[in-house]
Amino acid sequence: MEQQHHVSILKTLKFYDFRHLNFKNLNHNFATGFFHLESGFFIQFYHLNVYSMQLYNTLSAEQRAQLIEEAGQNRITLSFYQYAKIQDPQQFRNDLFLAWSKLDALGRTYVAHEGINAQMSIPAENLEAFRETLEAYDFMKGIRLNVAVEQDDLSFLKLTVKVRNKIVADGLDDATFDVTNKGIHLNAKEFNEMLNDPDVVLVDFRNHYESEVGHFTGAITPDVDTFRESLPIINEQLQDHKQNKKLLMYCTGGIRCEKASAYFKHQGFENVFQLEGGIIEYTRQVKAEGLESKFIGKNFVFDHRLGERITDDIIANCHQCGKPCDTHVNCANEGCHLLFIQCDECHEAMHGCCSNECLDIIQLTIEEQKVIRKGLQKGNLIFKKGKSDALKFKKERNVFEEVIPVKVATVTEIRKKKHERKILVGHGAHYFTKASVAQFTITNNEVKVGDEVLIAGPSTGEERFILEAFKVNGKDAQTAKTDDKITFAVPFRIRLSDKLYFIKKEN
C-alpha cells in the first residue's frame, strides 16, 4: 500500500464528507486499520467501534426458504407479547436482533416504549435457547409462548424487528385512561361456561377478513378493516348495556383485548371479560382438556400460512364464484397483491389473480410488470382485504347475523393442501450413462426403499419418484445412511450439481 494512498483520519476528518458511507455493513471491530474508499484512498481509523454482527437481513426470502428446506429442521411458529416500560426501544431492538440471528429465528416483531409484540418461527432444537433470550429481561420471565395450532416451516422467511410508537395500532390516547385496569381473564373452560349466560355480549375484536373465515358462535363481528375502527363502533352499539350486560371479548392471541378491555372499563362498562391468550391458547386448552370448541372454522394468521384450521366448519365463500371456501390467497399480480378467498377451480382458471385485469398483467414480461407498478401505492388496496370491486361474489353481511357452516368433509371444492417437507439427504456424485444409473452421496439423514424422493438441480429441474430399489456401496440394500454411496436407475441424466431430497409427509 503506497504512502500517498494513506490519509490519517485525524488529519482529514473535518475535510472529508463521510455521510455516504454505509457503516451498518461493516462486519468487524476496528482499533487501528484502513478502510478503502471508492476514490482509491484509504482512511486510517483509530478506536472506531462498530457492531461486529449484521443488524439487518442479508438473504432474500427465496434464499432463506431454500436453506430451510435443505436444513431439514422442524420449526415452531409461535407468538407472544408483553406490555412493559422500555427505556431505549432501539437498543432493545438491536440486542434482540443479534441474539435471535444466532438462533436462526425468523419472524415479525414490533417493539415500543410500551412493550413487545412478536410472531416468530424458531428451529425446534433452539426453542429453549430462544426462551432464555426473552427471560434475560425481568419483564419477560415466565412469559407465555402461544404455539401455533398448525405448523409450517416456511411461515416466516425473514427476521424483522421494528421500533414503533405502539406495539398495536389502536388509535388510543393512553394518557386519558388507566391501561392497567384490564378486564377479567378467562381460560377456555371459564369462557365456554360464560357463553351460556344470557346477559353476555360476545365481541370479536379482529378485522372482517379474520372473522369471515372463523369466529365464536354468537359473536358480534364488526365489519372493519382495522382494530382501531372497531372500538368506537362497539362502544356506540352497546351504549345502553354498560351496566346490565357482561362484555366478553376475544382476539387472535390476546394482545388486542389487553388494551380494549381497559378502554371499555374507562368508557363505563362495569363487567368486562377477555379470553386469556386468545384463540390460539383457547384451542390448545380445548384439545388438552377435551373441551367442546365453541370457535368454528379457521383462525386467520398474519404469516405465510394465512390461516390455521380449528374445526371442520367452513363459514366463508369463494369471492369469485360463491362456493363454500375459506382459503385466503394474495393476488398473483405483485402490483395488486389483494388478499381474498379463492377456491381451487377459480385459482386454476384465474391463475391466482383477483380479476381479468390482473390476469392480463401477469402474462407480461417481468420488466413490463415492473414498469406498470412503479410508483403505485398499493397499501390501501391490500388492506381493503376482500372488498375490491373486482371480486364478483362478496356479500354485504349483517354483523349480528349467524352464519350456517358447511363441513369440510362435504365440500369437494376446498383446496386440499399437501403438508410436506423436502429434507436434503444427498448430492450428485456420478451418472453411469450406459446403465442410466445415478449415484448420490448421502450427506444427511437417511433414505429407505419405498421413500418418495426428489432430485432437483439447475438443469434437471425437479423430478419426483418412489425409490423401489437401490444399491449402497455396490450391494443391494434397504437403507442408505450418511456417507453411503447410493445408486439407482433413473430415466434422465443427473448432474453433479443435483441434490437428493426425501419427501416427508406431515399431517
Side-chain angles (χ1 to χ4, degrees), residues 66 70 424 426-428 440 454-457 497-501:
Q66 182 68 24
E70 291 182 0
L424 179 66
H427 294 81
F440 283 82
L454 168 74
I455 294 178
S497 58
D498 286 349
K499 296 177 181 178
L500 179 67
Y501 296 90

Side-chain angles (χ1 to χ4, degrees), residues 293-308:
S293 176
K294 299 292 187 178
F295 184 96
I296 58 173
K298 266 186 175 180
N299 178 33
F300 184 92
V301 293
F302 294 89
D303 59 56
H304 167 79
R305 296 169 299 153
L306 295 179
E308 49 188 14

Side-chain angles (χ1 to χ4, degrees), residues 461-480:
E462 292 193 353
E463 298 285 348
R464 287 180 179 236
F465 54 92
I466 303 296
L467 278 177
E468 297 180 351
F470 57 75
K471 294 180 182 291
V472 170
N473 302 327
K475 297 181 180 180
D476 291 334
Q478 294 293 309
T479 304

Side-chain angles (χ1 to χ4, degrees), residues 262-281:
Y263 167 79
F264 281 103
K265 292 188 72 173
H266 174 70
Q267 291 296 322
F269 287 83
E270 296 182 356
N271 303 294
V272 181
F273 302 84
Q274 63 191 87
L275 178 58
E276 171 72 22
I279 299 165
I280 298 174
E281 176 62 12

Side-chain angles (χ1 to χ4, degrees), residues 56-87:
Y56 302 89
N57 289 287
T58 58
L59 296 177
S60 67
E62 292 77 11
Q63 290 171 321
R64 178 67 68 179
Q66 182 68 24
L67 288 177
I68 290 174
E69 288 196 333
E70 291 182 0
Q73 294 176 315
N74 287 321
R75 300 183 69 91
I76 296 176
T77 302
L78 55 84
S79 59
F80 63 91
Y81 67 88
Q82 188 67 276
Y83 281 99
K85 292 184 178 180
I86 299 176
Q87 296 298 322

Side-chain angles (χ1 to χ4, degrees), residues 1 22 50 71 78 124 144 146 159-160 167 176-177 188 240 266 269 301 307 366 386 393 400 450 456 493 497:
M1 191 181 300
N22 187 8
V50 295
L78 55 84
R144 182 187 63 246
N146 280 340
L159 175 58
T160 303
I167 56 177
T176 62
F177 66 100
D240 298 332
H266 174 70
F269 287 83
V301 293
I366 298 298
F393 186 90
F400 295 95
R493 181 186 182 89
S497 58

